């Protein structure tokens, strides 16, 4: 149902009526104030002329002149001019309108106020001549001078504001009302578009961002609302996707844990079965010669050590991935770790040894766990010794900045086929399962390497290098290190 059916008058029409009422009230008050001000100004102007004439008359009479003579000299200054000279007790000395009449003007309001305030004016009806006059009275030392002009229609009109002012105000009011109508109509268009947006938003419909809105503040607000609404819809869609992803990851974690459990069981069975077989053989043949017994005992010990290494690596990788491993970061020099690897290589039998090439001789300081950092490069070296079939190992510095260190670890062995590369860091992943177990690996070394690198805010990638063997590129975050000289 269209929202407009719920209102007999549109919002912009009600707003226009409100603006129109405001304009009428404001202009009316302004016109009234200006009317009063201009009328008062013209009245004061006429009063000032008459007061000046009164002062001249008082000065003339107080210096011995006659009021009648003064009047005859000045009666042409204003049309229908009437002048009166009065004593302070109200007795009329001279009245140009009734020269022969003796009367008392003390009761006249303009005379009373002139005695009290010094000067005054009044518009009233004169009983002596039966006409309306504009009187101005001025008090002197002993007398009061009063001047008056006949209050005719022409004088009353002259005291009114000019018609041009009213016409100007009327024209401005009409122009302002037209502008108000255009503004409220423009506002109404914005509100209609917002109403349509509210209807679509209530129905959950997408809003086109290309919708044209007026180029003003409301138009900008409308555009922002549309963008926020579409962003909200996108956020809700992304949230649903993330929820689905989280559900998938949860199922994947369950699958990985199940697979890990199966792999651990499978990996444990091999050394346990070997130990069991050797011990059963020893027990079954008590007369076995000493050399054979020692051989089976040695084999049992080797399988027990392999089992110990496997359990240690499983514990390490589990705690690394779950974040339960206590990492104690100190200031570590990677160059010392590389030198330790060189010394370990030199201690190996000659038939297992590989040439060790490290072109890093400067100190490489960073904050980290020395045990984890050592395990990274030790596992990489053991991996090369066991599976590369190469003759040399190379360690090179590829980047050094205040924030990161990048190390390349490579060998000149046979490498692996490209389809194995994405899985080398997976737990228990073996390129050649039979050969790997024969060589005694646990299948967790590279997985430990990856997680140890991640714990130091870095990353690691692997590829087949230019020398033929595997090339590991390690990037480690240095932390708030301090160079030691």
């Amino acid at each position: 149902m269209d929202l407009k059916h719920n209102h007999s008058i549109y919002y912009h029409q009600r707003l226009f009526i409100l603006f129109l009422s405001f304009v009428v009230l404001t202009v009316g008050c302004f016109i009234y104030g200006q009317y009063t001000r201009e009328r008062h100004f013209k009245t004061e102007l006429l009063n000032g002329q008459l007061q000046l004439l009164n002062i001249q008359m008082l000065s003339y009479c107080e210096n011995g002149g006659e009021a009648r003579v003064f009047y005859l000299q000045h009666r042409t200054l204003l049309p229908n001019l009437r002048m009166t000279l009065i004593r302070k007790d109200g007795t009329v000395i001279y009245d140009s309108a009734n020269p022969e009449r003796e009367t008392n003007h003390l009761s006249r309001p303009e005379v009373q106020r002139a005695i009290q305030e010094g000067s005054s004016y009044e518009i009233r009806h004169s009983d002596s001549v039966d006409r309306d006059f504009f009187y101005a009275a001025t008090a002197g030392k002993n007398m009061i001078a009063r001047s008056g002009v006949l209050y005719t229609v022409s004088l009353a009109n002259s005291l009114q504001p000019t018609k041009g002012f009213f016409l100007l105000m009327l024209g401005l009011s009409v122009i302002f009302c037209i502008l108000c109508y255009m503004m409220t109509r423009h506002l109404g268009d914005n509100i209609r578009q917002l109403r349509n947006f509210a209807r679509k938003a209530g129905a959950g419909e997408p809003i086109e961002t290309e919708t044209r809105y007026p180029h003003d503040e409301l138009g900008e607000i409308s555009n922002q609302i549309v963008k926020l609404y579409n962003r909200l819809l996108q956020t809700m869609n992304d949230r649903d996707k993330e929820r689905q992803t989280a559900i998938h990851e949860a199922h994947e974690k369950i699958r990985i844990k199940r697979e890990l459990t199966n792999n651990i069981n499978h990996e444990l069975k091999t050394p346990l079965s070997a130990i069991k077989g050797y011990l059963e053989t020893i027990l079954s043949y008590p007369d076995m010669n000493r050399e054979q017994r020692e051989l089976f005992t040695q084999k049992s010990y080797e399988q027990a050590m392999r089992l110990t290494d496997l359990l240690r690596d499983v514990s390490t990788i589990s705690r690394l991935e779950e974040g339960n491993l206590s990492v104690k970061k100190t200031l570590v020099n990677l160059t010392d770790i590389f030198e330790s690897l060189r010394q370990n290589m030199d201690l190996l039998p000659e038939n297992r040894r590989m040439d060790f090439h490290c072109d890093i001789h400067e100190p490489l300081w960073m904050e980290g766990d020395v045990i984890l950092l050592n395990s990274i490069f030790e596992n990489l070296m053991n991996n090369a010794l066991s599976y590369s079939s190469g003759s040399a190992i190379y360690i090179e510095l590829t980047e050094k900045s205040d924030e990161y260190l990048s190390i390349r670890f490579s060998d000149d062995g046979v490498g692996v086929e490209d389809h194995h590369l994405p899985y080398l860091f997976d737990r228990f992943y073996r390129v050649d399962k039979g050969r790997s177990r024969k060589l005694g690996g646990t299948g967790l070394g590279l997985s430990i390497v990856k997680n140890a690198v991640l714990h130091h805010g870095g990353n690691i990638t692997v590829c087949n290098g230019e020398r033929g063997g595997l090339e590991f590129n390690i990037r480690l975050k240095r932390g708030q290190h301090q160079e030691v000289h």
Side-chain angles (χ1 to χ4, degrees):
M1 182 178 63
D2 197 342
L3 297 177
K4 68 180 181 180
H5 293 157
N6 296 331
H7 307 286
S8 58
I9 302 179
Y10 289 118
Y11 175 77
H12 76 275
Q13 293 173 333
R14 297 199 302 272
L15 190 61
F16 173 69
I17 294 174
L18 178 63
F19 281 166
L20 185 62
S21 301
F22 175 76
V23 169
V24 171
L25 180 62
T26 302
V27 172
C29 292
F30 184 77
I31 290 176
Y32 176 76
Q34 186 65 19
Y35 169 83
T36 304
R37 179 174 175 274
E38 189 171 350
R39 189 172 185 276
H40 178 73
F41 172 76
K42 291 185 176 182
T43 302
E44 287 294 334
L45 184 61
L46 178 59
N47 178 55
Q49 293 176 331
L50 295 177
Q51 293 289 351
L52 180 60
L53 194 59
N54 289 338
I55 292 172
Q56 292 175 350
M57 182 179 180
L58 287 172
S59 176
Y60 182 81
C61 294
E62 287 174 354
N63 289 326
E66 295 184 8
R68 184 179 64 83
V69 174
F70 182 85
Y71 169 72
L72 293 175
Q73 293 175 350
H74 295 84
R75 63 182 179 179
T76 57
L77 292 177
L78 293 170
N80 302 312
L81 178 63
R82 178 182 180 182
M83 300 193 71
T84 308
L85 188 64
I86 308 166
R87 292 189 180 94
K88 286 292 183 75
D89 61 0
T91 304
V92 176
I93 301 174
Y94 171 78
D95 186 350
S96 62
N98 294 291
E100 304 297 331
R101 183 179 178 185
E102 295 183 3
T103 183
N104 191 293
H105 282 5
L106 189 61
S107 62
R108 305 297 191 266
E110 67 277 7
V111 175
Q112 292 180 357
R113 286 201 302 273
I115 294 173
Q116 297 172 358
E117 302 173 8
S119 65
S120 177
Y121 72 86
E122 183 76 19
I123 300 174
R124 63 176 180 81
H125 185 76
S126 174
D127 295 331
S128 59
V129 295
D130 196 24
R131 301 289 297 274
D132 291 334
F133 273 85
F134 183 99
Y135 288 117
T138 307
K141 294 181 180 179
N142 301 312
M143 296 176 289
I144 299 169
R146 187 186 71 176
S147 300
V149 290
L150 193 62
Y151 195 71
T152 60
V153 175
S154 59
L155 178 60
N157 291 335
S158 67
L159 296 179
Q160 303 297 325
T162 59
K163 292 182 179 180
F165 170 75
F166 293 103
L167 293 176
L168 175 63
M169 294 306 299
L170 180 61
L172 291 176
S173 299
V174 171
I175 293 173
F176 193 72
C177 289
I178 293 174
L179 292 176
C180 285
Y181 177 78
M182 293 174 62
M183 182 184 69
T184 54
R185 178 111 182 154
H186 179 73
L187 180 63
D189 293 338
N190 285 341
I191 292 174
R192 266 196 305 276
Q193 288 181 318
L194 287 175
R195 179 193 61 195
N196 293 332
F197 163 77
R199 178 176 56 79
K200 289 185 177 182
E205 300 176 8
I207 309 297
E208 296 180 0
T209 54
E210 291 79 13
T211 303
R212 296 177 64 90
Y213 291 97
H215 297 287
D216 56 18
E217 288 82 357
L218 282 176
E220 184 178 350
I221 292 172
S222 301
N223 280 318
Q224 290 298 325
I225 291 175
V226 170
K227 289 180 181 178
L228 288 173
Y229 173 75
N230 287 330
R231 192 178 301 168
L232 176 62
L233 285 181
Q234 184 63 39
T235 301
M236 294 174 64
N237 292 334
D238 292 342
R239 181 198 62 188
D240 293 339
K241 290 180 181 178
E242 289 177 0
R243 184 181 299 167
Q244 294 297 326
T245 302
I247 293 173
H248 174 74
E249 289 178 352
H251 289 301
E252 188 66 15
K253 285 182 179 180
I254 294 173
R255 184 192 66 78
I256 292 173
K257 285 185 178 180
R258 188 182 298 114
E259 184 178 302
L260 176 62
T261 302
N262 293 334
N263 286 334
I264 291 174
N265 289 335
H266 181 72
E267 294 293 332
L268 289 175
K269 284 180 181 179
T270 301
L272 285 175
S273 298
I275 293 171
K276 181 181 178 183
Y278 289 133
L279 292 178
E280 286 179 349
T281 302
I282 293 174
L283 292 174
S284 299
Y285 299 96
D287 297 333
M288 183 183 301
N289 61 58
R290 181 178 177 182
E291 291 80 6
Q292 193 72 23
R293 185 185 298 275
E294 288 180 355
L295 176 62
F296 284 0
T297 302
Q298 180 65 30
K299 294 292 184 182
S300 297
Y301 176 77
E302 290 175 359
Q303 293 298 324
M305 290 303 297
R306 179 184 173 189
L307 184 61
T308 300
D309 293 341
L310 177 62
L311 292 175
R312 182 199 63 221
D313 288 350
V314 167
S315 176
T316 300
I317 193 66
S318 297
R319 286 186 295 162
L320 277 172
E321 292 187 350
E322 294 176 3
N324 295 327
L325 186 66
S326 177
V327 178
K328 298 179 180 179
K329 290 189 175 182
T330 58
L331 200 60
V332 181
N333 184 4
L334 293 182
T335 307
D336 292 342
I337 293 178
F338 301 149
E339 182 60 30
S340 177
L341 291 179
R342 182 194 300 276
Q343 294 172 4
N344 291 340
M345 181 72 76
D346 293 339
L347 295 176
L348 293 176
E350 189 173 349
N351 62 338
R352 288 197 58 206
R353 197 181 305 164
M354 297 177 70
D355 294 335
F356 193 92
H357 300 279
C358 179
D359 65 352
I360 305 173
H361 305 290
E362 60 178 314
L364 296 180
W365 294 98
M366 64 171 287
E367 283 188 359
D369 187 298
V370 65
I371 296 176
L372 286 180
L373 290 172
N374 189 74
S375 70
I376 293 173
F377 298 100
E378 186 175 341
N379 275 294
L380 290 177
M381 187 176 76
N382 290 336
N383 186 75
L385 288 168
S386 300
Y387 310 117
S388 70
S389 300
S391 61
I393 289 174
Y394 302 89
I395 300 178
E396 303 161 280
L397 177 65
T398 58
E399 178 192 356
K400 180 183 179 183
S401 67
D402 291 339
E403 191 173 359
Y404 288 99
L405 290 173
S406 293
I407 309 295
R408 180 187 297 128
F409 190 103
S410 61
D411 61 71
D412 61 353
V414 296
V416 301
E417 296 179 6
D418 289 343
H419 67 272
H420 290 295
L421 293 175
Y423 309 104
L424 289 183
F425 296 110
D426 291 353
R427 290 171 292 190
F428 299 112
Y429 185 80
R430 301 177 189 274
V431 175
D432 185 346
K433 296 183 180 180
R435 181 168 178 267
S436 297
R437 288 197 177 91
K438 184 178 179 180
L439 294 173
T442 64
L444 294 172
L446 294 183
S447 184
I448 291 174
V449 168
K450 179 180 178 180
N451 282 276
V453 170
L454 293 177
H455 266 68
H456 285 83
N459 58 72
I460 182 170
T461 60
V462 61
C463 63
N464 285 304
E466 296 179 356
R467 296 184 175 94
L470 289 178
E471 180 181 294
F472 294 90
N473 290 286
I474 307 156
R475 196 164 188 251
L476 297 171
K477 191 172 185 179
R478 302 188 74 178
Q480 300 297 322
H481 69 284
Q482 295 179 354
E483 293 289 354
V484 177
H485 298 283

